Amino acid sequence: MKKIGFLSFGHWSPSPQSGTRSAADALLQSIDLAVAAEELGADGAYFRVHHFARQLASPFPLLAAVGARTSKIEIGTGVIDMRYENPLYMAEDAGAADLIAGGRLQLGLRRGSPEQVIEGWRHFGYQPAEGESDADMARRHTEALLEVLKGKGFARPNPRPMFPNPPGLLRLEPHSEGLRERIWWGAGSNKTAQWTAKLGMNLQSSTLKDDETGEPFHVQQAKQIRAYREAWAEAGHTRTPRVSVSRSIFALVNDLDRMYFGAERGDRDQIGFIDETRSVFGRSYAAEPERLIEQLRQDEAIAEADTLLLTVPNQLGVEYNAHVIEAILKYVAPELGWR
């Protein structure tokens, strides 16, 4: 039984060819697409976060707005770069957004990716401690966030406060019960997936990962998921973890689909380098529904995961992207065990 949602990078461009020409367009259309996806029966609306780019950047106003306009769909990120985040302020924002959404927030985090600017997190006032890398700093921020999300008091109250305090040490407010169990980590390697499990976070695995064995992307990703679940069991956590994978998947059901994606050339894995690490990039899928079902049944990582996130071409507009989601839900997903 799978959950299926969409993942939007929220690109915008002033180009006449773009249906999303400003930051306002990207934000408002993201809200409208989440509403449309919920009406279609999709399970999740997820948004990527990039700084210094013409893309979605500040997630919590958007997540809160989506939460206020919807009632059932999961709302999440994939992912927030933790090098840029103040863990305590983030916990307040996340708690507020989750309460507005009625406990539907699924917050995806990561240590970051190649950026638009050099060491952009320094402009936000953060720098690694002595002996730390920027990745270490991101993990330190994450562990601090996870701790305060437990809702335990840690701050000594003022003996003469402006307003009366409850007894004992104070916690951050607003606190949203259960949010700690809905934190995800975007892991690019098997080792990071195991670290994710140790800390009790759910796993997000994207359309790329470190090329650790030379095998096809979906095979390596499936092995990563199994390594994560083994580490989860070893850590002794009592709840069942969740795992998502992301894919570019397009069902060709009309002439417009064929015009946009019929000549898709991303039908095989690609190899590249990110931060001098050899990475394997997963293929895209674009075919008639019957053929698409056959191809996706052979994807080992989709079979291992419980949640599938469909990356959407958001600059093609809300109406077309809703059609892309509907075509998958209607013609493809039921054959893969969805509902």
Side-chain angles (χ1 to χ4, degrees):
M1 187 69 73
K2 305 277 185 186
K3 289 182 179 290
I4 297 180
F6 73 83
L7 172 62
S8 173
F9 280 46
H11 292 284
W12 61 273
S13 168
S15 166
Q17 284 74 44
S18 173
T20 310
R21 299 186 185 182
S22 68
D25 286 344
L27 289 162
L28 294 172
Q29 290 176 17
S30 294
I31 297 168
D32 289 343
L33 183 57
V35 171
E38 180 174 82
E39 292 173 350
L40 292 169
D43 300 299
Y46 287 71
F47 304 96
R48 186 67 164 92
V49 179
H50 279 110
H51 299 289
F52 298 102
R54 290 176 173 177
Q55 295 176 240
L56 298 172
S58 52
F60 294 108
L62 174 59
L63 294 170
V66 172
R69 287 280 306 277
T70 58
S71 60
K72 297 179 181 178
I73 196 169
E74 293 182 344
I75 305 162
T77 53
V79 288
I80 297 173
D81 187 335
M82 289 303 292
R83 296 174 297 182
Y84 286 78
E85 296 296 327
N86 178 314
L88 273 65
Y89 196 86
M90 184 181 185
E92 291 183 343
D93 279 351
D98 194 42
L99 290 170
I100 290 170
R104 290 180 284 129
L105 196 62
Q106 304 286 339
L107 204 58
L109 319 175
R110 198 181 179 190
R111 70 100 181 168
S113 59
E115 303 180 86
Q116 298 297 108
V117 300
I118 297 171
E119 296 183 343
W121 30 270
R122 293 189 185 275
H123 296 286
F124 279 56
Y126 302 111
Q127 62 182 11
E130 185 175 354
E132 270 191 334
S133 68
D134 61 317
D136 294 331
M137 177 178 67
R139 293 187 179 97
R140 171 166 53 83
H141 287 178
T142 301
E143 292 182 18
L145 172 70
L146 296 176
E147 185 62 29
V148 297
L149 286 179
K150 293 177 181 177
K152 296 179 179 179
F154 63 91
R156 186 164 58 91
N158 188 333
R160 292 182 293 277
M162 181 177 293
F163 306 106
N165 281 324
L169 299 177
L170 301 183
R171 68 183 185 185
L172 287 177
E173 300 290 355
H175 173 70
S176 186
E177 195 68 37
L179 179 57
R180 170 62 180 83
E181 295 186 351
R182 287 178 274 115
I183 304 299
W184 305 60
W185 186 266
S189 68
N190 291 6
K191 182 178 179 180
T192 304
Q194 292 166 328
W195 173 83
T196 302
K198 180 180 178 181
L199 266 65
M201 292 186 285
N202 300 311
L203 176 67
Q204 286 185 337
S205 195
S206 184
T207 54
L208 64 92
K209 71 175 296 293
D210 294 356
D211 186 8
E212 299 180 80
T213 66
E215 295 172 291
F217 168 77
H218 72 100
V219 174
Q220 292 197 52
Q221 192 175 49
K223 289 183 175 181
Q224 180 194 48
I225 294 170
R226 288 191 284 270
Y228 164 79
R229 290 202 172 109
E230 289 172 4
W232 182 277
E234 290 173 3
H237 303 303
T238 56
R239 69 177 178 88
T240 301
R242 289 184 58 185
V243 176
S244 73
V245 296
S246 302
R247 293 289 186 274
S248 297
I249 304 174
F250 302 98
L252 308 181
V253 299
N254 62 31
D255 290 340
L256 191 58
D257 298 332
R258 296 181 188 94
M259 181 185 75
Y260 282 139
F261 302 108
E264 183 68 47
R265 291 294 179 264
D267 57 354
R268 62 187 63 188
D269 294 345
Q270 302 293 323
I271 298 296
F273 288 85
I274 295 180
D275 294 336
E276 300 181 354
T277 298
R278 179 183 167 97
S279 300
V280 55
F281 297 77
R283 56 165 296 182
S284 297
Y285 294 94
E288 308 292 332
E290 295 80 7
R291 176 60 179 149
L292 202 54
I293 292 165
E294 293 177 8
Q295 294 173 341
L296 295 175
R297 280 176 174 164
Q298 298 174 35
D299 190 310
E300 293 185 19
I302 290 178
E304 287 284 346
D306 58 74
T307 301
L308 173 62
L309 300 182
L310 307 170
T311 62
V312 294
N314 74 280
Q315 289 188 91
L316 294 180
V318 174
E319 183 178 355
Y320 183 72
N321 279 280
H323 158 74
V324 168
I325 295 167
E326 182 179 29
I328 297 297
L329 297 182
K330 183 176 181 180
Y331 300 111
V332 178
E335 298 300 321
L336 298 177
W338 182 67
R339 295 185 184 170

